[in-house]
Amino acid sequence: VNDEITTTNTSTTIDSTMTLNNNVCLLFGEAGSGKSVALTRLCHMAAKKHIEDPVNPIPVLIELKSLTAKDHIQSRVARLLECSDSECDMLLNKGRILLFLDGVNEIVSWDPNRATVQLQRDFISEIATLFNRYPKTRMWISDRAMTNFGGDVRREIVKLELQKVTAQDIINFCK
């Protein structure tokens, strides 16, 4: 497995990552390297595949910075799909959802009684629980660093580093 996503030829390298057979991919890189753009593009590609053939999983993109201490990722997925929690559980169990979780490092606590670091740990723990509870569900996660999801994760996590974006990369991406 290629451990890096380069931006030399964005459409080829980003597109080719969708064919990885791994269920969990962590896309990481420096600030401004294009992690959110890459994740959005992957989600868009997955949506097109689902529209072409509904057998493909339903892509769901969640910007983690939009979550609060009262939120749960699985509940947010259910709300976005306008289904019940039990229907969402069934879809996740069957691998019918493709999760895109953007910005672990962007989770911020606005509650003065709860530290941001603790909130990030809580969501990282919840993500690790989702890994283990739903082994058929593919997940893409973006973060500024290589997040450690703890020793209890029973799935391989492929770590892909997004290289710095150059001016030429931006021009090529916009063509």
Side-chain angles (χ1 to χ4, degrees):
V1 175
N2 181 1
D3 287 339
E4 297 181 352
I5 294 179
T6 60
T7 56
T8 311
N9 185 344
T10 304
S11 63
T12 301
T13 55
I14 297 292
D15 295 358
S16 67
T17 62
M18 284 300 287
T19 62
L20 290 173
N21 290 325
N22 296 83
N23 283 348
V24 181
C25 293
L26 174 65
L27 183 61
F28 70 98
E30 295 180 24
S33 62
K35 298 176 296 296
S36 294
V37 171
L39 214 60
T40 301
R41 181 177 176 97
L42 290 167
C43 186
H44 181 257
M45 290 168 48
K48 287 171 79 173
K49 288 176 91 171
H50 177 74
I51 290 168
E52 291 168 5
D53 186 355
V55 168
N56 289 308
I58 304 161
V60 176
L61 174 65
I62 297 177
E63 291 182 325
L64 295 174
K65 66 183 174 186
S66 71
L67 299 178
T68 68
K70 296 177 183 177
D71 286 316
H72 293 282
I73 295 168
Q74 187 171 340
S75 298
R76 177 66 65 94
V77 171
R79 280 197 311 271
L80 289 170
L81 293 178
E82 298 179 351
C83 67
S84 69
D85 288 342
S86 61
E87 289 170 320
C88 183
D89 180 67
M90 185 263 313
L91 290 168
L92 288 165
N93 261 321
K94 292 183 175 184
R96 296 290 302 128
I97 294 174
L98 175 53
L99 276 180
F100 294 91
L101 305 175
D102 185 31
V104 171
N105 60 289
E106 296 175 6
I107 297 169
V108 177
S109 176
W110 300 106
D111 181 349
N113 299 318
R114 185 161 189 166
T116 292
V117 172
Q118 184 57 50
L119 185 62
Q120 286 176 342
R121 283 187 194 132
D122 291 347
F123 277 114
I124 289 168
S125 177
E126 184 178 349
I127 293 167
T129 299
L130 290 171
F131 291 166
N132 294 329
R133 187 177 297 153
Y134 303 110
K136 292 181 181 177
T137 295
R138 292 182 63 200
M139 297 181 202
W140 280 85
I141 301 148
S142 72
D143 192 7
R144 196 166 291 161
M146 288 197 309
T147 299
N148 179 359
F149 289 96
D152 291 337
V153 174
R154 295 182 295 271
R155 293 167 69 179
E156 178 186 1
I157 300 173
V158 173
K159 297 174 174 93
L160 305 165
E161 182 175 9
L162 193 65
Q163 302 299 306
K164 277 191 167 184
V165 178
T166 67
Q168 188 60 49
D169 293 330
I170 294 169
I171 292 167
N172 292 340
F173 184 78
C174 293
K175 286 183 180 179

